[in-house]
Amino acid sequence: MIVLVCGVGGAVGMQRLTGDEEALALARPVEVGQALTTQDLVQVSLRVSDGVDLVPASATSTVLGKPAAYRLPAGLLLTASAVGQPKVPAQGRAIAAVALKPGQYPPNLSAGASVIVLARPSGANPIGELRIWPAVVSVFENRRDMNLAVVSLELSESDAQAVASQQSEHVAVVLTAGGGR
């Protein structure tokens, strides 16, 4: 009993001396809207500055079962704003998905990349005006078993509707430095 009390007292004392706190981080990536589980979370000890809204490890039960508001990578320190109703896409934005074959997208494409989506006209007269939309890749899933990639693109609502209405074989994605036209 004395050893237990001394051990706990020492840990509390050390925490006060070092200023370290126990907070939650992600043990693995979590997708937007995915309910958080104990397997998704890990406790970390770190020094926290004032004004940083980290979820303390003691509040684990308050985030379990709650959806991720954003796509969250493994290792991210969990904040209260990262948990709750999905916040992606933002107001006035939408996400459109296209299935592309190799050659229709750069091999180094990844989530977060700024791109330009190009669509050539289809139908009996394939010669016409090329359509162009700036976008950001929100999810990139390379399905090598099916020889295609599913690319989710965040665009304005009207542009997302236009991209979604295109035939995939007429669409290409160009990686850009800034995503402008």
Side-chain angles (χ1 to χ4, degrees):
M1 181 70 168
I2 291 175
V3 172
L4 178 63
V5 170
C6 289
V8 170
V12 170
M14 182 59 97
Q15 185 174 7
R16 286 193 179 142
L17 284 175
T18 64
D20 287 356
E21 296 180 31
E22 292 292 316
L24 293 177
L26 291 172
R28 59 187 181 187
V30 176
E31 294 298 323
V32 175
Q34 179 181 330
L36 294 173
T37 67
T38 55
Q39 292 81 18
D40 298 321
L41 304 172
V42 63
Q43 291 185 16
V44 295
S45 181
L46 68 154
R47 182 162 293 149
V48 180
S49 299
D50 289 339
V52 178
D53 189 25
L54 295 179
V55 176
S58 61
T60 302
S61 63
T62 65
V63 298
L64 289 176
K66 300 275 173 65
Y70 305 96
R71 186 174 200 226
L72 306 172
L76 181 80
L77 294 171
L78 195 61
T79 62
S81 63
V83 180
Q85 290 301 313
K87 296 178 177 112
V88 175
Q91 187 69 27
R93 309 284 293 168
I95 297 188
V98 291
L100 303 174
K101 293 184 178 179
Q104 291 178 277
Y105 63 91
N108 59 336
L109 194 62
S110 63
S114 294
V115 297
I116 294 176
V117 181
L118 306 171
R120 64 180 166 84
S122 60
N125 183 12
I127 299 173
E129 189 175 324
L130 186 66
R131 300 197 60 199
I132 301 171
W133 303 275
V136 174
V137 177
S138 59
V139 178
F140 178 80
E141 182 182 348
N142 196 341
R143 300 291 311 266
R144 287 185 178 91
D145 59 323
M146 299 174 69
N147 198 34
L148 62 86
V150 178
V151 182
S152 294
L153 302 159
E154 183 179 341
L155 315 102
S156 70
E157 285 184 17
S158 60
D159 287 353
Q161 291 171 8
V163 168
S165 69
Q166 303 299 309
Q167 295 176 352
S168 288
E169 62 268 14
H170 295 231
V171 174
V173 173
V174 177
L175 185 61
T176 65
R181 288 183 182 226

